[in-house]
Amino acid sequence: MIKLFENGAWLIHGTEIVAEEDREKVQAVCGKQPDKEEDRKGTIAYSILKAHNTSDDMSHLKIRFDAMTSHDITFVGIIQTAKASGMEKFPIPYVLTNCHNSLCAVGGTINEDDHVFGLSAAKKYGGIYVPPHLAVIHQYMRETMAGCGKMILGSDSHTRYGAIGTMAVGEGGGELVKQLLRDTYDVAYPGVVAIYLDGQPNPGVGPQDIALAIIGAVFKNGYVKNKVMEFVGPGVASMTTDYRNGIDVMTTETTCLSSIWRTDEDTRAYLTQHGRGEEYRELNPADVAYYDGLVYVDLSTVKPMIALPFHPSNAYEIDEFLANSGDILREVEKSAAALTENTTVDFHLTDKVVDGKVHVEQGIIAGCAGGGYSNLMQAAQILKGRSIGNGAFTLAVYPSSQPVFMDLVQKGAISTLMAAGSTVKTAFCGPCFGAGDTPANNCLSIRHATRNFPNREGSKPGVGQLSAVALMDARSIAATAANGGVLTSAEQFAEELYEEGRLAARSGKTGVLPEYHYDDSAYRVRVYQGFQKAEPDAELVYGPNIKDWPEMEALSDHILLRVCSKIMDKVTTTDELIPSGETSSYRSNPLGLAEFALSRRDPAYVGKAKETDRLERTRLTANMEEAMALDASLAAAIAQVQSVNPDVDPADIEIGSVIYCVKPGDGSAREQAASCQRVLGGLANICSEYATKRYRSNVMNWGMLPFQMKGEPCFEVGDYIYVPDVKAALDGDRKDIKAYVIRQEERSGEASAKTCGEKTGSVNEISLYITDMTENEIEIVKAGCLINFNRNRMKAND
C-alpha cells in the first residue's frame, strides 16, 4: 500500500505520523504545540541545507557543495565554459568519469579525444580522473566520495547519494561552472516530503520494484516536484545500503530536487567497508519534524513491477500487466502512434502476446540503478544451473564498477551468469541513454536501468525505426531470462531461492547474500588523484572536434521571436530536445551538436532556427533593412511592430527563435537541451510549466528567457511574437509581460478558434510571465549567457 497524504504531516519520534488536519493531536503525542515553521527545522534536509547555506536567509539558499562530478558527455563543455569565465583551478574535489562515451564507436577519435582532454584538465586544474570502463559515475561517487551530511553536485540528473546520507543534486553544466568560480547554487528553500517506509520487502522484490511503485504514485500529480524526498521510518532498516542505493537513484524520475535517507549501522558498515568509516554520522529527523507532504509505503505490499514504455511512471504490478497484457500493450501502441505521427514508423507490441504469455527479445541489467552487487548476485542466484536459451532473447549485464566486477568474479557469479548465456560487459552507461545494446526494430527490451523514454534505447523513428524499453528489477529480468524471454515475475522463484531470505527478513535483513568484499586496487593504480595538485603550466589537449563556445550577444531592449517549433505533447523530455545515443559524441562541439536539436521530434526545427539566426546576423553586420530584404515575412512583421510601438527603432529589435512546449525538460540534466537552441539563435522558451528546475536553470544560464503562459498557445510555427521593453520587464515583477503575436498565415475553422486571429498579419496581445528569478539569473539572461555574465564581472573587477 502506498498512501499520499493530502496535506503536510508531522513525524514524531521518527515513527508516529500526525496528518495536518489532525494537528491538535501533536501536543497529545509529544507534549508541545505544533509550530509548522519551527518544526520544519526538524527534518534531516534542513540541517544539511543550513550547514551548506552561505547566506543568513534560509528561505533563499546560496549553497556551496562539498564535491562535484561530471561524465564524458558533459565535462568538456563545463571546463571550457569555466575556463572562458576565468577559472584557474578546481576549488573543490571534481571527479571526471568516462562512462558514457567510453565505447568510442561513433565519430572516429572524438570520444577518446574528450577523454584525453579530461585527463589533461584534471592535471592542469587539480581534478580526479576516472578512466573508461572503471566505474559508472554514480557508483564511483558512492564508493569514494559520498558521506553523511555532505552535499554533491553533478552534471547528470541521476546524481543521487541520499542513501549514504548525502544530499546530491543533478544540474546542468552552468551550475557546476558557478561552483568552479566559487559562486553559489541559488535556490528557494525547497519543500521536504517524507517517504515513510514501513515493513520490509518480500523475497523476489528488488529496489527497482519499490522505486517504480513510488514513481507511479507521485510523478503524474507532481507530488514531489522540485522537493526533497526524505526517507524515514522503520522500513529503512530492513534494507541494506546497497539495496537502498537502487531505490534512491530512481528518485530523479519523480522530478524531485534531491533525496536524503536516515542513516543507521548499515550505513556505517557500508562506509567502513569502503574504507571511509569516518564519514559516518547518524542522521535522523528531530523528535518533532514537519513535512510538506508524506508518502506512506508499506514495503511488504510492494510486488514485482514493470514500467511500460514510454516513462518510468507508466508502472504496473507484473501480475496485473500479465493478466491484461493485450489491453495495456494496445494503449502503449497508441502512445507510440502519437509520438511518431509524422514518421513512417509501424510499431506494434501486441504481437508479443502468444498463447497468453508475453515474450520479450532482450534483457539488460546495467548502470547506477541495476549494476550493483546485490542486484547482479541475486540475478546469478536465479540463473544458476539454468539457460536463457538460444532463441531471440538475449541478456547482457554491466557491473557498475571494477570493484563490484572483481568481487562477482571472485564469488563465481560472473561464471554463473555467463554459463546461463548472459554476456558480461564493463562499467558503461550506454544502455541507459541509447549508446549500447539497441534492440532490433519492433523489439521490446526489459531493463534494470534508469529510463525508458522514447528512443532512449537508441532507435531512430525518423528513419522508420522504433523499439521500446520496459523497466524491471534485475530479479524479475533474471526470472524472465530463466524462462527464455517469457516475461516472468521473480516471485515465481521466491520459494526456491529465498526461503532462507524469508527467515532472515524477519530479523531485519533483505535476502541472504555472500558478504561483499570491496577491493579498490583498480582505482589505486588507474584513477588520477589530482585534487589540490593543480599544474597551472600544463597544457590542455584538444582534439579536432573540441570547439569553443561561439560568441553570444547581450539581450536587447526589444525582441522579435519567430516560432520555430510547437510541441503539444503533455511532456517533452530532454531526450527529445537533444537526442542521446550517438549524438552524445558531438557534445564537445556546440555547433556540431546543435545540428541534432529536436531532430527526433521536430526535424524541421534546425533549418527554421538557422533561417531566423541568419536574419539576426544580417541585422548585426549590416542593418535591419537588409535583413528584411532577405525575408518578406520579417518585413511584414516589423511593419506590424511599428503599428503597435511606433516609437521603436527597428534597428534596436533583436531577432531570435523560440520554441513552445507544454511541459519541457523532464529527464536528463544535460545543458545541451538548452545550449543547442541558444547557439542556433534561440532567445526564449514558452511553456505552460517547466518539468524540472534543472532545465529551467539551463535555459537561463544560456541566456534565454524562461517564459510561461496560461492557456493554449494562440500562435503557430512561423508566427512572430514581439516582446517590447523586455529588459525592463525582467526588472519588474514579471507577472504580466505584454507581448504581441503577429500572424503569418491565414487560418479558418477549427484552427482559427485556437489562434489569436484569422488573417495574415493580424496582431494580438498576449500575456507572458516569468516565475522567480534571482538577481544573478536576471543579469545572466541580460548578458546573453553565463559566459558573458562572468566576463563582465571580470572586466568590472579589473
Side-chain angles (χ1 to χ4, degrees):
M1 176 186 72
I2 296 181
K3 175 186 175 183
L4 276 57
F5 280 55
E6 192 170 325
N7 299 301
W10 277 266
L11 183 63
I12 300 171
H13 307 314
T15 57
E16 297 201 46
I17 301 167
V18 179
E20 169 90 40
E21 49 270 30
D22 297 326
R23 59 182 297 145
E24 69 279 358
K25 294 181 181 179
V26 172
Q27 186 169 18
V29 176
C30 69
K32 70 177 283 291
Q33 285 285 348
D35 182 339
K36 283 169 58 172
E37 292 311 307
E38 188 63 27
D39 297 341
R40 276 191 171 96
K41 299 176 183 178
T43 65
I44 302 169
Y46 181 89
S47 64
I48 297 176
L49 290 168
K50 188 176 191 308
H52 290 80
N53 183 26
T54 63
S55 80
D56 295 328
D57 183 0
M58 282 298 291
S59 62
H60 294 90
L61 303 171
K62 291 181 175 293
I63 299 294
R64 284 219 174 107
F65 290 85
D66 298 299
M68 299 198 309
T69 188
S70 296
H71 50 62
D72 48 346
I73 281 179
T74 57
F75 64 60
V76 176
I78 291 167
I79 293 166
Q80 289 281 75
T81 303
K83 172 176 170 282
S85 301
M87 177 194 67
E88 296 180 352
K89 66 178 181 179
F90 297 156
I92 57 176
Y94 186 19
V95 177
L96 311 178
T97 69
N98 294 272
C99 52
H100 277 58
N101 284 337
S102 50
L103 288 186
C104 304
V106 175
T109 70
I110 61 178
N111 294 311
E112 189 61 19
D113 291 343
D114 286 353
H115 302 158
V116 171
F117 174 91
L119 179 57
S120 72
K123 291 180 177 179
K124 183 177 182 66
Y125 298 117
I128 300 165
Y129 176 84
V130 183
H133 306 290
L134 277 193
V136 300
I137 177 172
H138 303 309
Q139 185 65 14
Y140 183 83
M141 297 303 288
R142 291 166 184 158
E143 291 173 350
T144 68
M145 300 297 291
C148 300
K150 285 186 174 182
M151 290 193 73
I152 292 176
L153 181 66
S155 56
D156 183 272
S157 59
H158 292 102
T159 306
R160 292 286 187 269
Y161 317 124
I164 312 171
T166 296
M167 282 187 67
V169 179
E171 277 282 0
E175 295 302 324
L176 279 80
V177 170
K178 292 174 186 176
Q179 295 289 311
L180 291 175
L181 299 174
R182 298 308 287 151
D183 286 336
T184 56
Y185 178 67
D186 299 347
V187 62
Y189 185 83
V192 183
V193 174
I195 311 298
Y196 186 91
L197 303 181
D198 204 3
Q200 55 201 14
N202 286 316
V205 172
Q208 187 81 322
D209 298 316
I210 295 164
L212 294 178
I214 294 172
I215 294 164
V218 304
F219 172 77
K220 291 174 184 174
N221 57 19
Y223 193 80
V224 298
K225 180 181 175 181
N226 293 332
K227 297 181 173 66
V228 177
M229 296 174 72
E230 184 160 307
F231 287 77
V232 294
V236 172
S238 72
M239 299 176 287
T240 65
T241 301
D242 189 55
Y243 191 104
R244 299 171 202 173
N245 284 334
I247 301 170
D248 183 61
V249 71
M250 292 298 293
T251 60
T252 296
E253 305 312 321
T254 67
T255 69
C256 74
L257 178 71
S258 185
S259 64
I260 190 68
W261 292 56
R262 60 176 292 263
T263 62
D264 56 16
E265 286 304 306
D266 197 84
T267 322
R268 185 200 298 273
Y270 180 93
L271 287 165
T272 301
Q273 183 181 60
H274 289 82
R276 296 183 298 115
E278 74 282 358
E279 298 277 7
Y280 175 77
R281 68 183 176 91
E282 184 179 332
L283 299 176
N284 271 306
D287 270 355
V288 180
Y290 179 80
Y291 292 92
D292 299 287
L294 188 143
V295 180
Y296 176 86
V297 182
D298 182 349
L299 296 169
S300 67
T301 65
V302 176
K303 295 172 68 65
M305 302 288 294
I306 182 169
L308 291 165
F310 293 98
H311 198 275
S313 65
N314 193 18
Y316 298 84
E317 292 181 355
I318 290 177
D319 290 346
E320 176 192 3
F321 167 62
L322 293 177
N324 303 279
S325 55
D327 291 340
I328 293 172
L329 290 174
R330 269 186 284 277
E331 291 302 312
V332 175
E333 289 175 340
K334 289 179 184 177
S335 298
L339 289 165
T340 59
E341 59 185 350
N342 296 320
T343 70
T344 59
V345 168
D346 177 24
F347 180 71
H348 44 87
L349 287 176
T350 47
D351 60 353
K352 309 297 178 195
V353 184
V354 179
D355 296 330
K357 297 178 180 180
V358 177
H359 294 254
V360 300
E361 287 85 4
Q362 184 190 66
I364 303 285
I365 306 171
C368 56
Y373 172 78
S374 60
N375 291 329
L376 294 180
M377 182 59 77
Q378 293 198 320
Q381 287 179 335
I382 289 172
L383 283 167
K384 188 171 185 178
R386 293 183 166 89
S387 165
I388 72 170
N390 59 3
F393 179 80
T394 63
L395 176 64
V397 299
Y398 293 77
S400 55
S401 72
Q402 203 79 325
V404 170
F405 201 156
M406 289 165 67
D407 199 44
L408 290 169
V409 169
Q410 289 286 335
K411 291 185 169 64
I414 294 297
S415 295
T416 297
L417 291 165
M418 286 180 164
S422 311
T423 55
V424 180
K425 306 181 183 182
T426 54
F428 178 46
C429 297
C432 293
F433 71 100
D437 292 291
T438 304
N441 185 55
N442 265 317
C443 284
L444 180 61
S445 174
I446 53 173
R447 301 188 176 190
H448 192 155
T450 53
R451 290 200 174 117
N452 61 338
F453 293 168
N455 327 129
R456 185 86 178 182
E457 79 299 334
S459 61
K460 298 179 181 179
V463 293
Q465 307 169 354
L466 187 62
S467 49
V469 168
L471 300 182
M472 286 170 50
D473 188 82
R475 294 146 190 81
S476 290
I477 293 173
T480 300
N483 280 337
V486 174
L487 201 139
T488 305
S489 165
E491 282 188 324
Q492 178 173 316
F493 293 86
E495 291 299 322
E496 178 183 346
L497 297 177
Y498 291 88
E499 188 56 34
E500 269 191 276
R502 288 181 186 277
L503 298 172
R506 292 175 192 148
S507 62
K509 299 293 181 184
T510 308
V512 170
L513 292 174
E515 184 177 353
Y516 174 59
H517 173 67
Y518 175 70
D519 179 355
D520 69 344
S521 56
Y523 292 163
R524 283 185 272 116
V525 299
R526 286 294 297 139
V527 174
Y528 177 77
Q529 297 287 349
F531 180 57
Q532 296 183 327
K533 301 175 185 176
E535 302 173 18
D537 294 333
E539 294 291 329
L540 291 174
V541 181
Y542 288 89
N545 185 63
I546 298 175
K547 306 295 183 184
D548 291 330
W549 291 102
E551 293 293 326
M552 292 169 228
E553 65 187 285
L555 182 67
S556 297
D557 287 321
H558 315 285
I559 58 174
L560 185 63
L561 305 171
R562 178 184 264 178
V563 181
C564 288
S565 185
K566 179 183 175 184
I567 301 174
M568 297 302 294
D569 300 342
K570 290 181 180 178
V571 178
T572 302
T573 69
T574 46
D575 285 84
E576 292 169 300
L577 293 167
I578 183 65
S580 54
E582 81 279 8
T583 61
S584 301
S585 298
Y586 298 93
R587 288 206 173 115
S588 301
N589 182 340
L591 290 170
L593 180 65
E595 294 289 334
F596 297 97
L598 271 76
S599 59
R600 295 184 189 170
R601 187 63 191 85
D602 184 358
Y605 165 74
V606 169
K608 294 179 185 300
K610 282 184 171 182
E611 288 172 10
T612 306
D613 191 47
R614 182 169 70 110
L615 299 177
E616 174 61 8
R617 302 275 76 77
T618 303
R619 180 188 77 89
L620 289 173
T621 56
N623 51 53
M624 180 62 87
E625 288 75 15
E626 192 162 325
M628 290 191 292
L630 292 174
D631 192 306
S633 72
L634 175 62
I638 291 295
Q640 291 292 23
V641 165
Q642 291 184 299
S643 73
V644 170
N645 190 354
D647 295 330
V648 70
D649 183 346
D652 295 333
I653 301 173
E654 184 178 1
I655 307 164
S657 56
V658 64
I659 68 169
Y660 176 88
C661 303
V662 176
K663 189 176 179 180
D666 186 25
S668 173
R670 67 183 72 131
E671 64 182 297
Q672 294 92 346
S675 66
C676 283
Q677 298 172 48
R678 183 66 176 129
V679 300
L680 291 170
L683 281 181
N685 278 197
I686 304 176
C687 68
S688 175
E689 66 173 308
Y690 290 93
T692 58
K693 176 200 171 296
R694 56 183 174 267
Y695 176 70
R696 184 174 182 268
S697 294
N698 288 336
V699 169
M700 292 185 288
N701 282 330
W702 282 105
M704 294 191 291
L705 291 146
F707 286 133
Q708 292 176 241
M709 65 180 294
K710 296 176 182 176
E712 286 199 18
C714 56
F715 46 78
E716 300 296 333
V717 171
D719 291 344
Y720 285 93
I721 302 172
Y722 172 57
V723 189
D725 302 309
V726 68
K727 288 201 290 189
L730 283 175
D731 291 329
D733 65 13
R734 302 180 294 278
K735 292 179 180 177
D736 180 12
I737 301 172
K738 284 185 170 49
Y740 301 87
V741 174
I742 303 170
R743 174 71 57 234
Q744 290 302 302
E745 295 179 6
E746 289 194 28
R747 295 180 178 84
S748 59
E750 184 179 341
S752 68
K754 296 181 180 179
T755 60
C756 299
E758 298 181 14
K759 294 184 180 297
T760 302
S762 62
V763 179
N764 294 272
E765 183 178 314
I766 61 171
S767 175
L768 303 173
Y769 67 94
I770 299 175
T771 58
D772 289 347
M773 295 176 74
T774 67
E775 289 182 13
N776 277 355
E777 286 169 341
I778 291 170
E779 294 306 315
I780 289 167
V781 172
K782 286 182 181 179
C785 66
L786 180 62
I787 296 174
N788 292 354
F789 171 77
N790 287 321
R791 284 175 177 166
N792 293 345
R793 287 197 306 177
M794 289 172 64
K795 289 177 184 176
N797 292 336
D798 290 342

